Amino acid sequence: MSLADRVRQGERRAIAKAITLLESTRADHRAQADELLTALLPGTGNAFRLGISGVPGVGKSTFIEALGLYLIAQGHRVAVLAVDPSSSVSGGSILGDKTRMEHLSVNDKAYIRPSPSSGTLGGVAAKTREAMLVCEAAGYDIVIVETVGVGQSEIAVAGMTDMFVLLQLPNAGDDLQAIKKGVMEVADLVVINKADIDPDAATRAQAQITSSLRILTQQGRHSGPWHPQVLQLSALKAQGIDRFWAAVAKYREVQGAAGRIEARRKHQALDWMWERIESGLKQRFRQSSGVRQLLPQMTRDVELGRLAASTAARQLLAAMDPGSSPG
Amino acid sequence: MSLADRVRQGERRAIAKAITLLESTRADHRAQADELLTALLPGTGNAFRLGISGVPGVGKSTFIEALGLYLIAQGHRVAVLAVDPSSSVSGGSILGDKTRMEHLSVNDKAYIRPSPSSGTLGGVAAKTREAMLVCEAAGYDIVIVETVGVGQSEIAVAGMTDMFVLLQLPNAGDDLQAIKKGVMEVADLVVINKADIDPDAATRAQAQITSSLRILTQQGRHSGPWHPQVLQLSALKAQGIDRFWAAVAKYREVQGAAGRIEARRKHQALDWMWERIESGLKQRFRQSSGVRQLLPQMTRDVELGRLAASTAARQLLAAMDPGSSPG
């Protein structure tokens, strides 16, 4: 039986093997991976893709475990993936330690995969998108993509999911950081976790974030019928998970009916294609022998103001392949 | 006498001709332009580069006119350039109507040039950077780059100037928009204009923005000795221009002594080079006959989920030049 067939039957070892193949950078693996992806593609796209982010300490693992167990009790199959570009530096990874979700990780209706630990954010995000397709082909109908609340990875996860949820602590000022990073703007739902510890602070944070969201979305991307909401819950006590899922269901209903989820996926797929093209072009450029010869000296000259940056760019592009005219 | 020599002597018609040459997209002009830039380069870099932004109605023209006349009275020569990518769509341009600065535009110590009206933001920004070098070679020691307060053009202008100033109206909520767009974060100085109309509102806005800046710069790029400030003034009444310029002088002094302005310029020059390289690579990709043949169908297939985006990207890169291996 082919690897694609075994994935479609939901065989866990086949899923792991398929994702490992997709993560490989070897050229022969890449050809096999494309073949596998193409074979799996007709069985993909049926899951709901949920992005979840929040700063370290906000309680993401606890929340995802509570949510995952709730969803499995409702009859769903849940895959959890992660995007953490820092894992290639630290060697570690969010989700790397499965004991963080000790009940969910041993449940046979759940599949948990840590972040790919190689390359740039673009590369890590591309691998995670492909892993998401494998999980969908294997019959998981809810795919959760987790990311750490630092840097551009949150925007990348919002760009590969149907709905993006931001977890916040009931602290003033946290929301300003999220606004600054452009994360608040892409949040479809904001969850204030650990609300039970200080209910008054949580209520103040809810009011403040609601007000911020109202101003932000005046000129934002939210042109659909959905208006971002703010919920309070306690993941540790598994309080509020049902209200959270009811809000997600409402989102799917109103955005789905308006064709917004389909439109978002089309947009995401094209963005993804162009991101990969640009990354590939840049890689070719850097690997060209003509460029490698000139780049160090030109970089210095540009830095020191001895060569105009635009002139250097034109000369480097011309050096990329001597046969062509300057770009 | 060569065009470069005439520019160096500050001849106005030569400056205009040089900038027009640099803005041209014709291949033969481009070669001449590179030659001109290289000839002018040793005489550049001595001006202070000041970026100014703010939403329509904030009073940018009035402010720049008042500032320009103030600086000329102090013995400076002032060039004013603009970045407005929308001008290629609307046909109009900020600064296009010179009567907006009726006193400054007729002063022989000032040179005013509207936004290039062709191409993408990247293209417009590159042309403006080159025009800035021409003005510097012509002996203008203050170059002001104005941009409209919409979209990414503000980040582009902050990325080509030594200091970036954001003009705000004394309205609550305006600062949140600026934070959202990432503009507040790159502002070295925030000016509340029209402060005379409602002094109480201006004072409230000043306190609010000061507090926002403090939170934003906790994790921001401002690792130098300068801390972003907030000033009130009235450009229409020419009140506070001297205090504004004193703040700019202080910025130049403390950032200059710490080597921050030089470091910023080096960083900007490299960013500019890479931006131009990426733009050139993408242009080549789109112009390749192999790509042009496949792109429309592949775009549709990716949108409809019939082809994985990463597979499409690899196939298109392989089609770009049939001789090379897939990127």
Side-chain angles (χ1 to χ4, degrees):
Chain A
M1 201 160 61
S2 74
L3 182 58
D5 284 335
R6 289 169 53 211
V7 167
R8 277 190 285 258
Q9 296 200 353
E11 201 189 300
R12 299 177 79 88
R13 281 191 50 212
I15 298 169
K17 194 175 165 188
I19 295 177
T20 302
L21 178 67
L22 290 165
E23 288 180 358
S24 170
T25 50
R26 269 175 51 184
D28 57 328
H29 284 174
R30 205 52 262 183
Q32 289 175 50
D34 271 335
E35 209 175 300
L36 176 68
L37 262 187
T38 304
L40 293 178
L41 210 62
T44 66
N46 300 317
F48 185 69
R49 301 165 180 173
L50 184 65
I52 291 179
S53 177
V55 295
V58 75
K60 282 191 299 297
S61 309
T62 310
F63 176 71
I64 292 171
E65 175 154 84
L67 176 63
L69 293 171
Y70 172 86
L71 292 172
I72 287 168
Q74 310 268 316
H76 294 289
R77 293 180 64 204
V78 179
V80 183
L81 308 170
V83 171
D84 179 9
S86 68
S87 65
S88 60
V89 179
S90 66
S93 165
I94 51 173
L95 293 180
D97 180 6
K98 284 197 184 180
T99 57
R100 286 198 315 134
M101 300 183 190
E102 53 179 332
H103 299 295
L104 192 61
S105 62
V106 297
N107 193 302
D108 66 357
K109 295 283 197 295
Y111 183 82
I112 299 182
R113 177 94 184 179
S115 179
S117 59
S118 69
T120 60
L121 172 58
V124 170
K127 302 298 178 203
T128 305
R129 282 173 182 275
E130 294 180 350
M132 186 163 74
L133 297 177
V134 172
C135 293
E136 290 181 355
Y140 292 93
D141 65 330
I142 309 282
V143 180
I144 295 172
V145 186
E146 173 187 7
T147 191
V148 284
V150 287
Q152 286 294 304
S153 61
E154 294 166 299
I155 308 298
V157 169
M160 70 174 75
T161 50
D162 298 325
M163 182 178 193
F164 183 71
V165 174
L166 177 63
L167 261 62
Q168 292 272 97
L169 289 170
N171 292 341
D174 258 27
D175 58 323
L176 206 56
Q177 289 297 342
I179 294 169
K180 169 189 161 190
K181 290 186 295 166
V183 173
M184 188 68 83
E185 192 186 347
V186 297
D188 299 299
L189 190 65
V190 177
V191 168
I192 300 169
N193 192 21
K194 306 190 183 179
D196 55 319
I197 295 173
D198 186 346
D200 289 346
T203 300
R204 277 197 305 275
Q206 183 170 21
Q208 191 175 337
I209 296 170
T210 302
S211 148
S212 297
L213 282 171
R214 197 159 37 227
I215 297 174
L216 287 176
T217 53
Q218 275 168 9
Q219 299 181 2
R221 78 194 166 96
H222 289 288
S223 48
W226 175 260
H227 297 286
Q229 295 180 4
V230 187
L231 292 182
Q232 297 182 29
L233 56 75
S234 166
L236 193 64
K237 299 192 174 168
Q239 283 169 356
I241 299 292
D242 48 351
R243 274 185 299 116
F244 170 78
W245 194 247
V248 172
K250 186 75 187 164
Y251 174 89
R252 290 178 73 171
E253 186 192 319
V254 301
Q255 293 288 84
R260 301 286 302 174
I261 291 176
E262 198 188 333
R264 179 166 169 163
R265 286 188 175 188
K266 281 187 182 181
H267 189 76
Q268 288 173 341
L270 284 184
D271 281 355
W272 179 18
M273 181 181 86
W274 281 106
E275 195 276 327
R276 290 290 84 199
I277 288 169
E278 283 169 32
S279 162
L281 290 171
K282 221 165 149 182
Q283 194 185 341
R284 271 191 201 186
F285 176 82
R286 284 184 176 277
Q287 286 172 351
S288 139
S289 63
V291 169
R292 287 166 69 167
Q293 229 162 14
L294 289 177
L295 191 59
Q297 184 62 47
M298 285 211 166
T299 300
R300 266 194 300 278
D301 287 348
V302 166
E303 265 195 331
L304 297 173
R306 290 194 298 232
L307 181 66
S310 48
T311 306
R314 279 187 289 272
Q315 289 180 3
L316 286 164
L317 286 167
M320 190 177 166
D321 35 20
S324 77
S325 64
Chain B
M1 201 162 59
S2 75
L3 183 58
D5 285 335
R6 289 168 54 211
V7 167
R8 278 191 284 257
Q9 297 200 352
E11 201 190 299
R12 300 179 78 88
R13 281 192 50 214
I15 298 169
K17 196 175 165 189
I19 295 178
T20 303
L21 178 65
L22 290 165
E23 288 180 357
S24 170
T25 51
R26 270 175 50 184
D28 57 330
H29 284 173
R30 204 55 260 184
Q32 289 175 50
D34 271 334
E35 211 175 299
L36 176 68
L37 261 187
T38 305
L40 292 177
L41 211 61
T44 66
N46 300 317
F48 185 68
R49 303 166 179 172
L50 185 64
I52 292 180
S53 176
V55 294
V58 76
K60 281 191 299 297
S61 309
T62 310
F63 176 71
I64 292 170
E65 175 154 83
L67 177 63
L69 294 171
Y70 172 86
L71 292 172
I72 287 167
Q74 310 269 314
H76 294 288
R77 293 180 63 204
V78 180
V80 183
L81 308 170
V83 171
D84 179 8
S86 68
S87 65
S88 60
V89 180
S90 66
S93 165
I94 51 173
L95 293 178
D97 181 6
K98 285 197 183 179
T99 57
R100 286 199 314 137
M101 300 182 192
E102 53 179 333
H103 300 294
L104 192 62
S105 62
V106 297
N107 192 301
D108 67 357
K109 295 282 195 298
Y111 183 82
I112 300 182
R113 176 94 185 181
S115 179
S117 59
S118 69
T120 58
L121 171 59
V124 169
K127 302 298 179 204
T128 305
R129 281 173 182 275
E130 294 180 350
M132 186 162 74
L133 297 177
V134 173
C135 293
E136 290 182 352
Y140 293 92
D141 65 328
I142 308 284
V143 180
I144 296 172
V145 186
E146 173 186 8
T147 190
V148 285
V150 287
Q152 285 295 304
S153 61
E154 294 167 297
I155 307 298
V157 169
M160 69 174 76
T161 50
D162 298 325
M163 182 178 193
F164 183 70
V165 174
L166 176 64
L167 262 62
Q168 292 272 95
L169 290 170
N171 293 339
D174 258 26
D175 58 324
L176 207 55
Q177 289 297 341
I179 295 169
K180 169 189 160 189
K181 290 188 295 167
V183 174
M184 188 69 83
E185 193 186 347
V186 296
D188 300 298
L189 189 66
V190 177
V191 168
I192 300 169
N193 193 19
K194 305 189 184 179
D196 55 318
I197 294 174
D198 186 345
D200 289 347
T203 300
R204 276 197 305 276
Q206 184 171 19
Q208 192 174 339
I209 294 170
T210 302
S211 147
S212 297
L213 281 172
R214 196 157 40 227
I215 296 173
L216 287 176
T217 53
Q218 275 168 8
Q219 300 183 0
R221 76 193 167 96
H222 289 287
S223 48
W226 175 260
H227 296 285
Q229 295 180 4
V230 188
L231 292 182
Q232 297 182 29
L233 56 74
S234 165
L236 193 64
K237 298 191 175 168
Q239 283 170 355
I241 299 293
D242 48 351
R243 274 186 299 115
F244 170 78
W245 195 247
V248 172
K250 187 74 187 163
Y251 173 89
R252 289 179 74 172
E253 185 193 320
V254 301
Q255 294 288 84
R260 301 288 301 175
I261 291 177
E262 198 190 333
R264 178 165 168 164
R265 285 188 177 188
K266 281 186 183 181
H267 189 76
Q268 288 174 341
L270 284 184
D271 280 356
W272 178 18
M273 181 182 87
W274 281 106
E275 195 277 325
R276 290 290 83 198
I277 288 169
E278 282 170 32
S279 161
L281 289 171
K282 221 165 147 181
Q283 194 184 342
R284 271 192 202 184
F285 175 83
R286 284 185 176 278
Q287 285 171 353
S288 140
S289 62
V291 169
R292 287 165 70 167
Q293 229 163 13
L294 289 177
L295 191 59
Q297 183 63 46
M298 284 210 167
T299 301
R300 266 193 300 279
D301 286 348
V302 167
E303 267 196 329
L304 297 173
R306 289 193 298 231
L307 181 66
S310 48
T311 306
R314 278 187 290 271
Q315 289 180 4
L316 285 164
L317 286 166
M320 190 176 167
D321 35 18
S324 75
S325 65

